Amino acid sequence: MKKHNFSAGPCILPQEVLQKASEAILDFNGLGLSLVEISHRSKDFVAVMEKAQALALELLGLEDQGYKALFLHGGASLEFLMVAYNLLEKKAGYLNTGTWSDKAIKEAKLFGEIVEVGSSKDENFNYIPKGYIVPDGLDYLHLTSNNTIFGTQIKKFPKANTSLVCDMSSDIFSRQLDFSQFDLIYAGAQKNMGPAGTTLVVVKEAILGKVSRQIPSMLDYKVHISKDSMFNTPAVFSVYVSMLTMEWLKNLGGIPEIEKINEKKAQLLYSEIDLNPVFDGYAQKEDRSNMNATFNLTDEDLKETFDELLKEAGINGLNGHRSVGGYRASMYNALSLDSVGVLVDVMSEMERKG
Ligand SMILES: *Cc1c(COP(=O)(O)O)cnc(C)c1O
């Protein structure tokens, strides 16, 4: 039986995408060869890369606006330093909303001065700082749109007199935004787009080439752009599956359509969390993430019962991150409303037992 997969990442992917991907592993495009044993320079794979790049820009509404889409190695974690390597000359601003932004700050400090414009560390990142001042003279302002671990999500992005750079690893393609407000977006594939192994970077070409330092080729966005994201062998399987997932999303109606479904899922779960006395939400209500819902049992003695019921219902991946504890339900694009319904049923059964 296929489980209801609430895993935070690597995460659930659409069943039809997994089906197609498994076929391509055995025989890609009827070539009599596997997707993973053909040249990345072959016409068949180049078409995959081009399509993946085009779909990313199309879904985000960023075609013909000077942006390039790249599929790079090293995960979102490498982007923490690549962003600074390529863009930080003197001073950059970072909004610290949790573990991932903390890590991004640590790396960026190797390249210049970092101003933490706001932080929610005082409450173990259960909210998004607001009303903070963005100083002048920043090379860029870095944000993390969705905090995978703590279950908070930026709903309103700041206006700033500088480039906005955003780590969208865990909510890319999940909701409508004016993506043109960002000059650089990056996202590790394994949260909402594909298997681990590739990272989508969407960058406005005009912001590059301004720092005075020399940049090693592999870490230079301009080099990757000049080689159409094929400077070295790309993660062919991850790029292919990401392309299939984007295609699936486009056929579904794109971001406007998935946003409606994601809102329904989040509403269903959060209303259960709020109404059910057995559970307490972790993140502050106005900042709750539609992707990762964090919550706790009000009585820890009920843990064994709850975990047993989850197991019986075929629910996977609900344990909270070790830095928060409790539970976390990740409701990425491919998770169905039905799966959330199954979880909510288990939660209401807990209320009857509790
Ligand atoms: C998971 C995650 C990362 C780290 O991604 P890797 O691809 O494992 O390096 C960075 N940022 C956010 C918001 C994440 O959720």
Side-chain angles (χ1 to χ4, degrees):
M1 182 187 91
K2 180 76 185 173
K3 298 226 166 114
H4 302 284
N5 191 3
F6 289 84
S7 175
C11 78
I12 183 167
L13 291 170
Q15 201 57 28
E16 63 176 75
V17 165
L18 295 178
Q19 183 65 42
K20 279 188 197 159
S22 65
E23 285 160 14
I25 284 287
L26 293 174
D27 183 2
F28 182 50
N29 283 357
L31 294 171
L33 293 165
S34 167
L35 166 77
V36 296
E37 59 179 10
I38 59 169
S39 166
H40 58 293
R41 311 264 175 217
S42 65
K43 149 172 110 17
D44 288 83
F45 186 77
V46 169
V48 168
M49 178 59 92
E50 285 174 355
K51 190 157 188 197
Q53 291 172 310
L55 278 167
L57 294 178
E58 183 186 342
L59 287 167
L60 298 172
L62 291 177
E63 304 131 296
D64 306 320
Q65 293 176 62
Y67 288 87
K68 295 282 182 194
L70 302 169
F71 288 89
L72 305 180
H73 293 283
S77 299
L78 187 61
E79 296 315 307
F80 295 163
L81 69 99
M82 243 173 114
V83 161
Y85 223 138
N86 284 264
L87 303 178
L88 178 50
E89 181 73 16
K90 282 205 167 67
K91 190 164 74 172
Y94 278 70
L95 184 64
N96 190 355
T97 48
T99 312
W100 298 118
S101 23
D102 224 22
K103 291 188 177 183
I105 291 168
K106 178 170 175 255
E107 300 303 309
K109 277 184 175 163
L110 300 172
F111 298 89
E113 185 192 338
I114 300 304
V115 184
E116 229 176 89
V117 298
S119 170
S120 46
K121 207 169 195 157
D122 56 345
E123 300 281 347
N124 199 25
F125 303 114
N126 73 353
Y127 70 101
I128 299 286
K130 292 167 205 81
Y132 51 87
I133 310 258
V134 180
D136 286 335
L138 299 179
D139 296 324
Y140 61 87
L141 174 64
H142 181 282
L143 307 159
T144 309
S145 54
N146 183 70
N147 301 287
T148 328
I149 292 175
F150 301 95
T152 62
Q153 189 173 33
I154 300 180
K155 307 289 172 181
K156 198 169 174 292
F157 288 86
K159 292 256 174 297
N161 219 348
T162 185
S163 285
L164 289 186
V165 172
C166 195
D167 175 359
M168 293 196 187
S169 292
S170 52
D171 69 351
I172 186 114
F173 304 135
S174 73
R175 57 173 169 164
Q176 297 190 78
L177 289 174
D178 172 11
F179 292 98
S180 70
Q181 68 190 300
F182 307 101
D183 283 349
L184 192 151
I185 295 167
Y186 63 91
Q190 72 278 10
K191 302 282 167 49
N192 211 16
M193 182 168 57
T198 193
T199 314
L200 170 65
V201 175
V202 174
V203 57
K204 198 161 211 178
E205 220 175 338
I207 68 166
L208 300 173
K210 303 210 168 138
V211 289
S212 51
R213 73 176 64 85
Q214 294 227 314
I215 306 174
S217 311
M218 259 307 269
L219 300 179
D220 188 341
Y221 292 125
K222 284 173 73 92
V223 169
H224 289 288
I225 290 172
S226 73
K227 301 290 179 188
D228 293 322
S229 207
M230 295 260 206
F231 172 68
N232 70 331
T233 318
V236 290
F237 182 71
S238 296
V239 173
Y240 178 65
V241 181
S242 298
M243 183 213 84
L244 290 178
T245 310
M246 289 188 279
E247 214 168 42
W248 165 84
L249 179 55
K250 183 184 166 178
N251 291 337
L252 200 83
I255 296 180
E257 207 47 43
I258 202 78
E259 181 181 42
K260 284 187 216 154
I261 302 170
N262 287 336
E263 270 172 7
K264 272 193 201 147
K265 290 186 288 186
Q267 265 169 23
L268 178 62
L269 181 57
Y270 283 123
S271 62
E272 181 65 23
I273 291 172
D274 289 340
L275 295 173
N276 188 329
V278 174
F279 298 97
D280 248 349
Y282 178 78
Q284 286 186 14
K285 280 188 189 171
E286 60 178 3
D287 300 324
R288 281 172 164 173
S289 164
N290 278 1
M291 294 279 98
N292 314 94
T294 43
F295 57 96
N296 296 292
L297 284 163
T298 44
D299 177 0
E300 273 302 311
D301 290 346
L302 295 172
K303 183 167 166 50
E304 212 171 305
T305 315
F306 185 45
D307 288 351
E308 190 50 42
L309 287 179
L310 290 172
K311 206 169 149 199
E312 277 169 25
I315 290 173
N316 171 69
L318 212 71
N319 280 339
H321 189 269
R322 58 193 181 277
S323 58
V324 183
Y327 295 91
R328 168 175 53 172
S330 298
M331 300 176 281
Y332 295 119
N333 284 354
L335 186 85
S336 70
L337 184 60
D338 285 349
S339 287
V340 180
V342 171
L343 172 59
V344 165
D345 285 346
V346 170
M347 292 168 80
S348 17
E349 197 176 332
M350 285 301 292
E351 185 179 1
R352 285 191 296 276
K353 293 195 175 197

